[in-house]
Amino acid sequence: MIYLDNAATTKPDKECLKAAEKYLYEDYFNPSSLYKDGYKLQAEIKAAKTNILSFIANTDNYDLTFTSGGTEADNQAIFCGGKRGNIVVSSGEHSAVFASANETKQRGLEVRFAKIKSDGSVDVENLLSLIDDKTSLVSVIHVNNETGAINDIFDIAKKVKLKNKYTLFHSDGVQAFGKIPFKLTNDIDLYSISAHKIGGVKGCGALIRKKRAIIKPYIYGGGQEQGLRSGTENLFAIKDFEFAAVKKYSTIKNNYQLVLNLQEKLWEKLDKQLFTRISALTCSPYILSVSAEGVRGETILHEADDLGLLIGTGSACSSNEKKRFSRTIIACGYPESVADGVLRLSLSPEITLDEILKAAEILNKIVSNRRAIMA
């Protein structure tokens, strides 16, 4: 099996799972317990927060709230950060942000959607034109989950603050954390991350928050996570997340170059008579979006599956919406004929060159055969 759908989820790292196993079988106590075996686990949670934060943020200025994943972190940012007036989000947001923004509209908040460019990056001038003195929140995805476009969120956030210093700036960093090197600047108020995109287990993520940024809880109950996210902490998943982050960041620059080389080879071997490139050359090396115009992406996906190649046609989180065309690809300005044939090929450092060459061979063969049938 060749797995090229790492933007949907990654294979859990066995070493990290083994290291975290003790929090299932030995230190399984409730961290909110008052007896010493439970209470001492609060220190383990604090250590996990510090370690994860330290890779991308100044721990003196930022804090971290563990959630059930990137989707919950995005929801908390939108519903609890966008409190009044209007909010501005890009049209290329992950569905966790886009759907949440639409829901806030139903609840009486004005929502303004900024245009995106052909590669999926936000049109910054258009975004800034939508901000006024009533804008409470702006959300711009760091790495587009369908095209891999990298938004310069640090420059964008700075410009947002110049227009309205009271506006909270949020970014969905799920496809950036552990994959591209960066450090959060003080203009970033909220940042969402997820464990299972970097070799951790599903069901754990976090919302990073600048300490001076005031937001309300999204889930109420026993007051865990400094009152910002109630519910008994999933210590096993939290520690596994920590260990996965430590491992990823120890080789992040080498992994970036390795994956970039693999992406370049994959595009080189894909037949340019059959495929159009959607992703820009400056996109994240972990995502290559292409289109086999005239052939349905879903058809290619299923035929590739039969041949041992697993790929995506866009965001896995949007597959349940039963929409034929990707909202993001259409917003990029592509016609439905192109959107219908989009494939998302997402990589990891564990993929071999032989697998890349084989994947290109399979995709070329499938699309070539389909074109011949349709001729």
Side-chain angles (χ1 to χ4, degrees):
M1 180 190 74
I2 302 172
Y3 184 65
L4 293 185
D5 198 23
N6 291 276
T9 195
T10 57
K11 183 178 181 179
D13 185 281
K14 289 184 179 180
E15 290 182 356
C16 297
L17 285 173
K18 187 66 178 177
E21 201 174 65
K22 62 174 291 189
Y23 300 100
L24 279 178
Y25 301 116
E26 298 172 30
D27 293 333
Y28 54 84
F29 311 103
N30 190 322
S32 295
S33 301
L34 295 180
Y35 44 80
K36 63 180 181 180
D37 283 331
Y39 186 75
K40 72 178 183 180
L41 297 182
Q42 282 293 331
E44 295 283 6
I45 294 175
K46 185 177 180 180
K49 290 185 177 188
T50 300
N51 279 336
I52 292 172
L53 266 177
S54 66
F55 295 121
I56 63 169
N58 184 329
T59 55
D60 291 331
N61 298 334
Y62 285 87
D63 205 346
L64 180 155
T65 300
F66 285 113
T67 65
S68 64
T71 292
E72 185 189 323
D74 283 343
N75 273 248
Q76 183 167 13
I78 300 301
F79 288 116
C80 303
K83 302 181 288 293
R84 64 190 183 281
N86 64 75
I87 64 173
V88 178
V89 303
S90 85
S91 297
E93 294 300 302
H94 185 278
S95 56
V97 168
F98 196 83
S100 296
N102 276 320
E103 175 59 25
T104 64
K105 187 190 304 183
Q106 300 300 316
R107 301 181 184 185
L109 205 64
E110 182 186 358
V111 181
R112 301 171 179 177
F113 293 101
K115 297 176 182 178
I116 57 176
K117 299 179 181 179
S118 60
D119 67 344
S121 62
V122 67
D123 183 326
V124 179
E125 287 189 10
N126 180 251
L127 176 89
L128 294 173
S129 72
L130 300 176
I131 299 169
D132 57 28
D133 59 356
K134 295 182 180 179
T135 303
S136 58
L137 177 80
V138 170
S139 186
V140 176
I141 196 167
H142 195 171
V143 173
N144 187 285
N145 58 296
E146 293 192 42
T147 70
I150 302 174
N151 284 304
D152 187 350
I153 59 170
F154 313 109
D155 182 64
I156 296 171
K158 182 177 181 180
K159 290 176 178 176
V160 167
K161 296 291 186 178
L162 287 175
K163 287 213 67 175
N164 184 341
K165 65 180 180 180
Y166 299 109
T167 299
L168 290 178
F169 187 90
H170 166 256
S171 183
D172 178 333
V174 167
Q175 297 294 347
F177 182 79
K179 297 180 179 181
I180 64 173
F182 66 91
K183 286 285 186 179
L184 296 181
T185 60
N186 284 332
D187 295 314
I188 310 291
D189 298 295
L190 303 166
Y191 194 84
S192 305
I193 59 177
S194 176
H196 76 102
K197 307 294 188 180
I198 62 165
V201 294
K202 301 173 185 66
C204 187
L207 180 62
I208 294 172
R209 174 182 58 85
K210 192 164 68 174
K211 290 180 178 179
R212 289 185 298 173
I214 306 300
I215 61 170
K216 291 184 177 181
Y218 181 60
I219 294 178
Y220 290 83
Q224 290 88 346
E225 292 294 276
Q226 294 83 49
L228 285 176
R229 203 283 183 180
S230 292
T232 303
E233 300 92 340
N234 184 349
L235 188 56
F236 163 72
I238 287 171
K239 297 302 287 187
D240 182 64
F241 190 6
E242 175 192 2
F243 300 149
V246 168
K247 189 168 184 177
K248 282 295 180 185
Y249 275 91
S250 69
T251 56
I252 188 169
K253 292 182 179 179
N254 289 339
N255 285 346
Y256 186 95
Q257 189 59 51
L258 172 62
V259 175
L260 178 60
N261 293 340
L262 292 173
Q263 189 208 63
E264 289 176 345
K265 180 60 68 172
L266 178 57
W267 175 239
E268 175 190 324
K269 293 300 180 180
L270 288 175
D271 190 335
K272 309 305 183 294
Q273 299 298 313
L274 304 174
F275 295 96
T276 299
R277 181 169 179 147
I278 304 295
S279 298
L281 294 176
T282 55
C283 74
S284 166
Y286 287 84
I287 296 175
L288 175 62
S289 183
V290 299
S291 175
E293 188 172 3
V295 183
R296 289 199 67 184
E298 188 175 343
T299 298
I300 301 170
L301 180 151
H302 290 304
E303 289 196 29
D305 191 4
D306 291 339
L307 295 173
L309 171 63
L310 305 186
I311 59 176
T313 57
S315 173
C317 293
S318 298
S319 62
N320 293 323
E321 294 178 6
K322 305 302 180 184
K323 295 179 180 178
R324 179 163 180 171
F325 307 116
S326 161
R327 162 181 53 80
T328 295
I329 300 301
I330 294 296
C332 287
Y334 289 100
E336 291 183 351
S337 59
V338 172
D340 200 28
V342 166
L343 304 174
R344 182 182 67 176
L345 313 173
S346 47
L347 291 69
S348 81
E350 287 71 42
I351 297 170
T352 67
L353 178 58
D354 285 343
E355 288 177 320
I356 288 294
L357 298 177
K358 183 63 176 178
E361 178 186 331
I362 290 172
L363 292 172
N364 286 337
K365 181 178 179 180
I366 291 172
V367 178
S368 179
N369 289 344
R370 279 285 160 184
R371 290 270 176 86
I373 293 172
M374 296 164 60

